[in-house]
């Protein structure tokens, strides 16, 4: 097994491996974790206790996680002067599946974001964000129970690629000049060319198809009703619009009779009229096919609030997905309990993570909600096929919230609730597992 300078590999435990499209998980897998900065320390402590209790209860000692701490963020910087040590990336690469708390984004450092750097290094092209309602969670909508959505956000393309040219720099001038010389018509469209910053938005066919494929596979395996392609293709035709078109093409080419697409509906409409198209769709859905539809990115923010029941799995580009997953999470408790995973389904690499930041004002106060990282662990166990442990975590969390034992973020919005510390909420989950 590989050795590291600072990372201590647990003596007992084995590597998770990927064979073909199959994840091979030993009974005692070594799982790298980054505790995280700020409140990361509080939530990780509470979460690890919950994870170990769930695994112990589910498998009665036959399975156990061999946790391996790896370093990033402030903890790495203060000890070794680097925000993201090379060996941390190597450890996530070597051991395949890991989990992390939130990390400070270094200001003025060489990194735009440590999270983005990790996703890039391992080509974790899916950002998976399931959003569901836990009964009792304070919500601003009338029917939060209708919210049960899973967002597949593309994680490696779009304007997140970081190709930007700052106004006033030489590179900016060269980029402007390139446009002027080679694309004079486009250059003429820029309102204030001398004082513009520029950003480039690449969206590829490969990037789109692997994301949409993963979303459709997930929907089929989990018996979901529909996949919605979310895009702003009415304006950005060759990036967002192409995402929609490639998504439909992929669905029909690779999933044939398992799906029915709105592109098919449109073709039948043009050939044979609306009645025939509607009848065709109805018959396909009755036969149990998965509906693949699309929606423009602006209206999806309204419809996921006003018609939540119509949405199931959503597949979208990077920036849309960033906004959308937080907005949907806000319907059912917000970022304190919204989990996430970054996955490459071909290589098996996956890093699950709390979706909120480090909330530094609450650091080391044992106060914040550990739900986000706990549910990220629940996703990780499901990804590993440890469904029994995952079910216990959900079960414990459901009961803790239903009995109104909650942290400050929920407590301030609930009546007659019991205020718990971060660690106490973890304990409440453990007590309620059954
Ligand atoms: P933040 O840390 O997410 O905190 C914003 C607010 O969200 C907090 O003040 C708190 O709201 C609420 N909150 C966050 N975590 C919570 C939890 N576990 N339980 C309950 N409420 C929670 O965002 P930020 O202050 O903008 O960012 C701080 C640092 O985190 C920055 O360096 C940023 O770059 C980084 N960041 C990291 C990640 C990541 O690692 N994935 C993600 C986002 C940001 P109230 O004040 O209302 O109580």
């Amino acid at each position: 097994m590989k050795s590291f300078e600072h990372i201590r590999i647990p003596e007992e435990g084995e590597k998770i491996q990927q064979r073909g499209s199959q994840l091979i998980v030993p009974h005692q897998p070594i799982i790298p974790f980054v505790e995280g900065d700020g409140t990361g320390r509080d939530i990780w402590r509470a979460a690890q206790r919950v994870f170990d209790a769930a695994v112990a209860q589910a498998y009665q000692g036959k399975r156990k996680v061999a946790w391996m701490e790896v370093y990033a963020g402030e903890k790495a910087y203060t000890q070794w002067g680097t925000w993201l040590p090379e060996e941390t990336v190597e450890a996530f690469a070597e051991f395949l599946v890991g989990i992390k708390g939130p990390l400070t984004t270094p200001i003025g450092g060489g990194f735009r974001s440590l999270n983005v750097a990790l996703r890039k290094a391992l080509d974790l092209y899916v950002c998976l964000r399931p959003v569901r309602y836990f009964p009792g969670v304070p919500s601003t909508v009338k029917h939060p129970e209708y919210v049960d959505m899973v967002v597949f956000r593309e994680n490696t393309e779009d304007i997140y690629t970081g190709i930007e040219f700052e106004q006033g720099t030489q590179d900016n001038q060269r980029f402007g000049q390139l446009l002027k010389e080679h694309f004079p018509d486009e250059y003429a469209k820029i309102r204030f060319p001398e004082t513009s910053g520029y950003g480039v938005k690449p969206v590829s066919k490969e990037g789109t198809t692997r994301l949409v494929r993963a979303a459709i596979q997930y929907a089929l395996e989990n018996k979901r009703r529909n996949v919605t392609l979310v895009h702003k293709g009415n304006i950005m035709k060759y990036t967002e619009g192409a995402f929609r078109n490639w998504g439909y093409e992929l669905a029909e080419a690779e999933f044939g009779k398992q799906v029915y697409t709105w592109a098919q509906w449109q073709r039948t409409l043009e050939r044979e009229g609306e009645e025939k198209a509607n009848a065709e769709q109805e018959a396909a859905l009755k036969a149990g096919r998965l509906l693949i539809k699309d929606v423009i990115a602006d209206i999806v923010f309204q419809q996921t609030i006003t018609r939540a029941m119509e949405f199931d799995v959503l597949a979208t580009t990077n920036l849309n997905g960033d906004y959308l997953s937080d907005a949907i999470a806000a319907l059912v408790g917000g970022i304190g309990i919204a989990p996430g995973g970054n996955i490459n389904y071909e290589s098996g690499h996956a890093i699950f993570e709390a979706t909120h930041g480090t909330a530094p004002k609450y650091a080391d106060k044992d106060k914040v909600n550990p739900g986000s990282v706990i549910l990220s662990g629940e996703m990780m166990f499901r990804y590993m096929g440890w469904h029994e442990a995952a079910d216990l975590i959900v079960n414990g969390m459901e009961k803790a919230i239903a009995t109104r034992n909650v942290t400050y973020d929920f407590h301030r919005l609930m009546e007659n609730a019991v205020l718990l510390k971060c660690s106490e909420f973890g304990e409440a989950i453990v007590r309620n597992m059954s």
Side-chain angles (χ1 to χ4, degrees):
M1 211 179 278
K2 207 178 175 73
S3 64
F4 299 102
E5 198 184 339
H6 304 296
I7 298 168
R8 206 189 64 74
I9 301 174
E11 275 162 23
E12 296 195 348
E14 291 171 69
K15 278 197 292 194
I16 295 178
Q17 290 176 315
Q18 174 93 344
R19 281 199 209 118
S21 59
Q22 187 85 30
L23 205 63
I24 312 291
V25 182
H27 280 350
Q28 200 164 343
I30 296 176
I31 296 190
F33 72 93
V34 175
E35 170 187 82
D37 297 328
T39 48
R41 294 184 284 275
D42 302 286
I43 60 173
W44 178 256
R45 214 174 303 120
Q48 202 174 10
R49 163 93 180 93
V50 170
F51 300 152
D52 287 338
V55 171
Q57 189 169 322
Y59 308 114
Q60 303 293 318
K62 289 195 190 79
R63 288 179 181 170
K64 192 174 178 223
V65 173
W67 297 108
M68 179 175 80
E69 180 162 17
V70 302
Y71 305 93
E74 286 163 6
K75 206 165 176 177
Y77 189 74
T78 48
Q79 291 189 75
W80 307 296
T82 164
W83 290 95
L84 184 60
E86 194 51 42
E87 65 173 25
T88 295
V89 180
E90 283 170 18
F92 278 122
E94 178 90 2
F95 292 89
L96 279 190
V97 179
I99 184 164
K100 60 174 278 298
L103 294 171
T104 306
T105 301
I107 301 199
F111 290 102
R112 265 161 199 262
S113 149
L114 298 174
N115 302 305
V116 174
L118 271 171
R119 287 172 201 167
K120 228 177 185 167
L122 299 174
D123 196 23
L124 305 174
Y125 63 86
V126 169
C127 177
L128 182 61
R129 293 276 304 265
V131 186
R132 55 152 288 193
Y133 175 62
F134 283 86
V137 164
S139 170
T140 50
V141 294
K142 270 192 184 160
H143 288 290
E145 70 277 14
Y146 293 168
V147 177
D148 184 7
M149 302 178 206
V150 182
V151 179
F152 277 71
R153 164 189 169 197
E154 204 290 323
N155 228 358
T156 61
E157 303 201 317
D158 200 356
I159 52 176
Y160 275 68
T161 322
I163 308 168
E164 287 194 300
F165 301 102
E166 186 183 357
Q167 192 274 324
T169 62
Q170 222 183 11
D171 281 354
N172 176 289
Q173 280 170 11
R174 283 167 58 202
F175 189 75
Q177 196 57 33
L178 183 138
L179 282 179
K180 199 173 180 176
E181 273 176 31
H182 297 277
F183 306 97
D185 293 346
E186 318 307 313
Y187 187 78
K189 290 179 191 165
I190 304 170
R191 180 71 183 87
F192 299 110
E194 296 303 322
T195 55
S196 290
Y198 297 106
V200 179
K201 178 183 170 78
V203 173
S204 71
K205 188 168 185 178
E206 290 88 336
T208 300
T209 51
R210 66 181 185 171
L211 184 272
V212 176
R213 182 184 297 117
I216 296 177
Q217 265 160 358
Y218 176 96
L220 290 169
E221 279 163 21
N222 291 281
K223 306 208 174 352
R224 295 287 185 149
R225 293 164 297 129
N226 59 59
V227 174
T228 307
L229 307 171
V230 180
H231 61 91
K232 188 72 186 165
N234 53 335
I235 305 295
M236 291 169 271
K237 297 186 193 309
Y238 306 127
T239 50
E240 299 271 331
F243 176 88
R244 167 192 180 275
N245 296 343
W246 289 326
Y248 277 136
E249 276 170 32
L250 176 280
E252 291 177 24
E254 290 190 15
F255 296 92
K257 294 204 162 17
Q258 292 171 283
V259 301
Y260 182 81
T261 71
W262 273 8
Q264 279 171 278
W265 182 89
Q266 186 65 32
R267 290 196 297 272
T268 306
L269 170 85
E270 282 158 21
R271 254 190 348 253
E272 301 173 61
E274 192 169 346
E275 211 174 304
K276 278 269 163 53
N278 286 343
E280 182 183 77
Q281 174 168 313
E282 208 182 307
L285 299 188
K286 250 192 196 145
R289 289 201 200 183
L290 177 71
L291 179 65
I292 314 291
K293 54 189 178 124
D294 76 280
V295 64
I296 302 285
D298 43 85
I299 199 72
V300 81
F301 283 89
Q302 281 193 37
Q303 291 184 346
T304 44
I305 297 172
T306 56
R307 292 145 63 172
M309 270 220 278
E310 291 179 17
F311 295 93
D312 204 334
V313 174
L314 299 115
T316 189
T317 49
N318 209 335
L319 182 63
N320 293 337
D322 194 2
Y323 296 156
L324 187 60
S325 45
D326 271 19
I328 299 172
L331 301 174
V332 288
I335 52 177
I337 58 162
N342 302 286
I343 304 171
N344 181 318
Y345 286 95
E346 279 79 49
S347 68
H349 285 114
I351 300 180
F352 296 85
E353 66 176 352
T355 57
H356 54 72
T358 59
K361 65 181 175 184
Y362 297 129
D364 303 312
K365 294 197 169 141
D366 195 17
K367 181 179 170 87
V368 297
N369 193 335
S372 175
V373 77
I374 289 174
L375 290 176
S376 302
E378 182 264 335
M379 287 174 73
M380 180 179 76
F381 287 140
R382 246 176 243 295
Y383 180 72
M384 290 160 52
W386 290 18
H387 296 284
E388 300 79 2
D391 289 344
L392 282 175
I393 293 172
V394 171
N395 202 261
M397 178 99 99
E398 274 173 351
K399 286 193 196 147
I401 294 172
T403 52
R404 297 174 178 268
N405 283 279
V406 291
T407 45
Y408 85 98
D409 50 326
F410 287 177
H411 183 264
R412 66 188 169 189
L413 301 171
M414 286 164 92
E415 280 169 20
N416 306 320
V418 181
L419 175 63
L420 300 184
K421 292 180 182 167
C422 174
S423 56
E424 290 170 339
F425 185 62
E427 289 303 329
I429 294 176
V430 173
R431 265 199 317 280
N432 283 294
M433 282 178 188
S434 59

